Amino acid sequence: TARAFAARCAGVLVLKGAGSLVTRRDRPITIIPLAAPTLAVAGSGDVLSGLAGALLAQGTPPEVAACLAAYLHAKAGQLLLHDYPARGNTPSEIADAIPRARKEHPPCC
């Protein structure tokens, strides 16, 4: 389980999926309650990890960076689902939708 994995590791765990999970040792699990089938494509996780890395490079604390990255990634997928309802998206399309997701749907943190 996510909790068992996080208990054995020192980092932050993001379990990507419909309702992504974010957790770390001795912390509750955060659920990102968003889903977008447009993100079920090769390279989507690379975009998510790149976004998390960019947030970390800007000094965002690891758990916040993971939650924010998972949130924005899912929001971008939802925007793309609206734009392209009949197909998945390329990693480039997902990455290009992230600024729009951040602008249109600012998260609470």
Side-chain angles (χ1 to χ4, degrees):
T1 67
R3 189 174 311 277
F5 183 86
R8 291 190 312 267
C9 299
V12 177
L13 170 71
V14 177
L15 185 59
K16 178 179 154 309
S20 294
L21 306 177
V22 180
T23 192
R24 68 184 310 168
R25 184 182 301 161
D26 300 325
R27 298 284 296 169
I29 294 175
T30 300
I31 300 171
I32 309 298
L34 307 173
T38 53
L39 298 177
V41 296
S44 176
D46 296 329
V47 176
L48 173 58
S49 62
L51 178 56
L55 292 166
L56 287 168
Q58 294 173 29
T60 307
E63 192 169 3
V64 175
C67 287
L68 184 56
Y71 175 87
L72 291 172
H73 185 259
K75 274 296 183 186
Q78 288 184 333
L79 291 171
L80 290 169
L81 181 60
H82 181 265
D83 296 344
Y84 305 100
R87 67 171 176 87
N89 295 102
T90 66
S92 294
E93 289 170 332
I94 298 166
D96 289 345
I98 288 171
R100 193 169 115 207
R102 193 166 195 168
K103 181 179 178 185
E104 292 183 18
H105 304 281
C108 61
C109 53

